[in-house]
Amino acid sequence: KQRSDRCVLMCVLFSAVSLPRPHGKSFAHRSELKQAKRIVVKLGSAVVTRGDECGLALGRLASIVEQVAMLQNQGREMMIVTSGAVAFGKQRLRHEILLSQSVRQALHSGQNQLKEMSIPVLEARACAAAGQSGLMALYEAMFTQYSTCTAQILVTNLDFHDEQKRRNLNSTLHELLRMNIVPIINTNDAVVPPPVPNSDLQGVNVISIKDNDSLAARLAVEMKADLLIALSDVEGLYDSPPGTDDAKLIDIFYPGDQQSITYGTKSRVGIGGMEAKVKAALWALQGGTSVVIANGTHPKVTGHVITDIVEGKKVGTFFSEVKPAGPTVEQQTEMARHAGRSLASLHPEQRGEIICCLAELLTEKKDEILSANKKDLEIATASGRFSHALINRLALSTSKLNSLAIGLRQLSVSSRDSVGRVLRRTRVANNLELEQITVPIGVLLVIFESRPDCLPQVSALAIASGNALLLKGGKEAANTNKILHQLTQEALSIHGVADAIQLVSTREEVEDLCRLDKMIDLIIPRGSSQLVREIQRAAKGIPVLGHSEGVCHVYIDSDASIDKAIDIVRDSKCDYPAACNAMETLLIHRDLLRTPIFDQIIDMLRTEHVRNIQTHSRTLGINITHRLAPGLHPI
């Protein structure tokens, strides 16, 4: 009866876990990878083994174990598919062979023949048998440092094709994950036959376990994993063999793109190669598991590659079934750089014509601009997440647009000699002069918050200086930025350089943009001091033109004209109090204290609804600090 009960219990358990996996949807964007709960990490042979293919790369493994343990302790369910048993076993067997040969030759042939010892070719299955236990012991010792328990599972192709074995494997893995244990899975290389070519990668129901790439893909789909991270010895998938001059890393790979790439040679170890990785990744993607292929061999260079991927950072190649309608940010940068060279080669008068055309469009299309701005204001107000000051900065008006147009026309005239101006000329020798000439910087990335009027201002400065430009504005001004960028490109098109200024409107994180050190020459953050500090921390190898805290002071001397002083104070504080350069502190000469002039200034500020006026005595005068009503604090 007890045996019968156990049989019934096992049958119920198997039927519960062997339900067909629904074909879920994989994550469409990198930013969604933060939601991944169940993650499979595949470690390729080139990641686990040393350069001499004999022994393990302990430093890399330590970094990987730390990251996996960290994610496990965050409540995620981690699984590892690992190589390395053959390399570890080869190291052990080589040591044993050398030791035994040296003893025998020392006894029978003397020491002179020790130099002639040779190591026979070691059979891979024997190496796997000798190395599997040591590999697992190493993993267990490393994970113990983080109070994380591990379990070893060896599988073969039959374990997935035999229904009963597949159910047993599925049940075991689910139980281990339930107990917060990290399963470490490897093919049972001691008994598996050599891999043979096959063509069974066409559907989500069948895939042969011929290497750890296919094992990781099959396991990820079988266990309904949210994410598969395949670590190799290359940065990801390239559009041509890595190492060639024109090879470019593919950020996002789509199922329909496999015909447009060329695969290179396999890694120094392993049996799969990049082609096998791509096929396995596409198979897993079709089964509802997101996939990222990245480099795991240089932890000092790539950093915490596993945790970076889970955080949604732009690392490796991300496989997605959703293809965006527009170009990627890398493509936008290339387009901007190419068109920027043409922009820099234009005559100053032609660049001035572009800026004047943009000024005309701002006034001609003001109704369309204000309509788009109204949508942004309604969305921002309804969200309740923005202060009154930020909403004021977001708002555009007819007067603002007219003021912008006037400023652009002035810039078109004053900047005629911005490019190609000789700053210094030195005679080095007869008929040889050395000149310092102003030239464009290249591709600029300007990140700005809230204020959409920043877009035409920065665009005009980039045009005048002959620089290509990437713009990343705040989401709260998306509609306004879109129409302003369209007008900017319309103005640029009169001389065929419309692509010189690009608006980044994808889901790209600012930190990802700061990693494009080979494409962007200078980053200019326009916003709060916190934004500037964040950009400076995130930028890797790209100069950042930041600014410090604003010091927006106005000083009134004892000999100042009272009428001019009052007009200046009113304009600097009350005309546009939400601006970042609105007056914060008013300094008054001490001789003006308790005079009619002082009283007139205070009365004017109160009339303009400036509140919380605080006076502080100073040796040289009166320091008046003030704030607006709640929600109207100057930025």
Side-chain angles (χ1 to χ4, degrees):
K1 184 179 183 301
Q2 292 177 352
R3 182 175 181 180
S4 175
D5 290 340
R6 286 198 300 270
C7 290
V8 172
L9 177 60
M10 290 183 69
C11 288
V12 172
L13 178 61
F14 290 152
S15 62
V17 297
S18 62
L19 291 173
R21 180 188 189 279
H23 285 213
K25 295 294 292 182
S26 59
F27 295 124
H29 306 281
R30 283 184 183 269
S31 58
E32 298 173 350
L33 297 180
K34 299 175 183 178
Q35 307 170 21
K37 171 70 174 177
R38 183 170 292 174
I39 302 171
V40 176
V41 178
K42 182 264 176 180
L43 307 179
S45 301
V47 176
V48 178
T49 61
R50 296 197 316 237
D52 60 3
E53 305 176 22
C54 187
L56 303 180
L58 299 181
R60 295 179 205 151
L61 279 181
S63 175
I64 291 168
V65 167
E66 179 186 12
Q67 296 172 71
V68 172
M70 182 187 305
L71 294 173
Q72 179 81 3
N73 293 331
Q74 290 176 0
R76 305 179 196 269
E77 297 176 343
M78 305 298 297
M79 292 178 281
I80 295 178
V81 176
T82 182
S83 302
V86 173
F88 196 80
K90 184 184 292 185
Q91 183 184 37
R92 293 182 62 184
L93 293 181
R94 281 169 59 100
H95 178 76
E96 293 297 327
I97 291 172
L98 284 173
L99 183 62
S100 62
Q101 284 184 349
S102 63
V103 171
R104 287 197 304 269
Q105 291 186 9
L107 292 176
H108 299 95
S109 304
Q111 297 291 333
N112 294 331
Q113 295 185 9
L114 285 177
K115 298 179 181 180
E116 301 176 3
M117 289 188 302
S118 61
I119 299 176
V121 177
L122 300 174
E123 206 271 332
R125 285 193 287 269
C127 293
Q132 194 62 247
S133 60
L135 176 65
M136 191 60 206
L138 181 61
Y139 273 119
E140 186 173 354
M142 287 183 170
F143 273 105
T144 300
Q145 304 301 314
Y146 303 95
S147 302
T148 302
C149 186
T150 59
Q152 180 186 34
I153 296 179
L154 298 176
V155 298
T156 65
N157 205 19
L158 294 177
D159 294 321
F160 288 96
H161 289 281
D162 184 278
E163 184 65 18
Q164 187 63 39
K165 291 183 177 181
R166 188 182 67 83
R167 290 179 176 180
N168 292 342
L169 175 61
N170 197 310
S171 174
T172 300
L173 288 171
H174 276 91
E175 183 65 12
L176 292 173
L177 294 177
R178 186 188 67 80
M179 294 188 294
N180 200 33
I181 295 174
V182 177
I184 298 179
I185 306 105
N186 193 4
T187 53
N188 193 352
D189 294 326
V191 299
V192 295
V196 294
N198 56 70
S199 57
D200 59 358
L201 294 168
Q202 304 302 319
V204 298
N205 296 321
V206 179
I207 182 172
S208 288
I209 309 303
K210 56 179 180 174
D211 52 37
N212 276 344
D213 296 314
S214 53
L215 170 60
R218 179 61 188 264
L219 184 71
V221 173
E222 184 74 23
M223 295 298 296
K224 304 177 185 178
D226 301 310
L227 173 62
L228 167 60
I229 300 175
L231 298 183
S232 181
D233 58 349
V234 292
E235 303 302 324
L237 186 60
Y238 288 79
D239 56 0
S240 58
T244 58
D245 294 336
D246 57 345
K248 294 180 181 178
L249 180 66
I250 299 174
D251 173 43
I252 305 177
F253 187 77
Y254 306 98
D257 293 345
Q258 62 264 37
Q259 302 300 327
S260 61
I261 60 174
T262 304
Y263 298 104
T265 58
K266 298 179 181 179
S267 65
R268 55 181 173 79
V269 290
I271 59 176
M274 185 55 70
E275 185 173 6
K277 290 176 176 58
V278 172
K279 289 182 178 180
L282 292 175
W283 189 89
L285 185 68
Q286 187 181 359
T289 298
S290 296
V291 183
V292 175
I293 296 178
N295 191 337
T297 60
H298 300 294
K300 292 183 179 180
V301 177
T302 58
H304 289 163
V305 58
I306 299 175
T307 53
D308 285 349
I309 290 172
V310 176
E311 290 174 5
K313 296 180 181 179
K314 187 171 289 188
V315 179
T317 299
F318 172 62
F319 286 69
S320 175
E321 293 183 301
V322 180
K323 196 164 189 175
T328 65
V329 67
E330 290 85 1
Q331 292 171 334
Q332 284 185 293
T333 309
E334 287 290 341
M335 293 162 58
R337 182 177 291 277
H338 179 74
R341 294 190 180 112
S342 300
L343 174 66
S345 65
L346 295 177
H347 294 294
E349 294 77 13
Q350 293 176 308
R351 289 193 293 270
E353 289 173 4
I354 295 174
I355 298 174
C356 286
C357 179
L358 176 58
E360 295 295 331
L361 289 172
L362 290 178
T363 54
E364 290 177 8
K365 305 289 185 179
K366 64 180 180 180
D367 292 337
E368 297 178 28
I369 298 172
L370 295 178
S371 176
N373 187 244
K374 183 180 178 181
K375 293 179 182 178
D376 289 328
L377 289 171
E378 291 172 350
I379 296 172
T381 304
S383 69
R385 296 186 295 108
F386 301 97
S387 67
H388 193 73
L390 287 176
I391 291 179
N392 282 347
R393 295 175 68 188
L394 177 61
L396 291 179
S397 63
T398 301
S399 60
K400 278 189 180 181
L401 293 176
N402 290 335
S403 178
L404 270 174
I406 293 172
L408 295 188
R409 292 189 185 96
Q410 293 173 346
L411 178 63
S412 68
V413 175
S414 62
S415 63
R416 293 291 174 90
D417 61 345
S418 296
V419 179
R421 184 172 77 254
V422 178
L423 301 178
R424 185 185 305 171
R425 182 181 290 112
T426 303
R427 183 183 296 277
V428 179
N430 290 334
N431 300 322
L432 180 61
E433 291 185 346
L434 180 66
E435 293 182 340
Q436 183 183 14
I437 303 175
T438 57
V439 296
I441 294 174
V443 178
L444 312 179
L445 168 62
V446 176
I447 303 168
F448 57 97
E449 298 174 319
S450 301
R451 288 180 50 221
D453 50 337
C454 178
L455 193 151
Q457 292 173 341
V458 173
S459 297
L461 290 170
I463 294 168
S465 57
N467 286 296
L469 180 63
L470 286 179
L471 292 162
K472 177 65 173 176
K475 297 178 182 178
E476 63 277 4
N479 293 296
T480 313
N481 288 338
K482 181 179 180 181
I483 181 65
L484 290 174
H485 177 249
Q486 289 174 351
L487 297 179
T488 303
Q489 288 198 315
E490 183 177 341
L492 288 164
S493 64
I494 66 174
H495 287 296
V497 289
D499 291 336
I501 296 179
Q502 298 286 332
L503 178 64
V504 179
S505 56
T506 61
R507 301 168 65 100
E508 231 70 37
E509 298 290 342
V510 171
E511 188 170 342
D512 292 330
L513 294 173
C514 293
R515 293 172 181 262
L516 301 178
D517 57 313
K518 295 181 180 179
M519 299 182 176
I520 297 173
D521 300 297
L522 178 66
I523 301 176
I524 305 175
R526 292 281 304 270
S528 64
S529 57
Q530 180 183 356
L531 173 67
V532 174
R533 287 193 298 269
E534 290 176 353
I535 298 302
Q536 289 173 332
R537 282 195 300 265
K540 305 294 184 182
I542 307 177
V544 177
L545 183 61
H547 58 78
S548 184
E549 298 284 352
V551 184
C552 302
H553 288 16
V554 174
Y555 169 65
I556 301 179
D557 191 67
S558 59
D559 297 328
S561 167
I562 182 60
D563 293 332
K564 287 184 179 180
I566 291 177
D567 288 342
I568 289 172
V569 171
R570 179 188 290 110
D571 180 75
S572 62
K573 180 61 191 177
C574 307
D575 178 63
Y576 187 18
C580 58
N581 61 345
M583 182 182 68
E584 297 170 351
T585 301
L586 176 62
L587 294 170
I588 300 178
H589 196 280
R590 61 186 173 186
D591 290 347
L592 298 179
L593 182 63
R594 299 185 182 88
T595 64
I597 296 177
F598 179 82
D599 294 336
Q600 289 181 48
I601 293 172
I602 297 299
D603 291 341
M604 181 274 294
L605 292 173
R606 286 173 175 163
T607 301
E608 296 288 345
H609 306 292
V610 178
R611 302 179 183 179
N612 298 338
I613 301 175
Q614 303 171 3
T615 61
H616 303 278
S617 297
R618 301 290 190 209
T619 303
L620 297 178
I622 301 297
N623 183 351
I624 299 180
T625 61
H626 50 276
R627 294 194 179 112
L628 294 177
L632 294 177
H633 301 290
I635 304 302

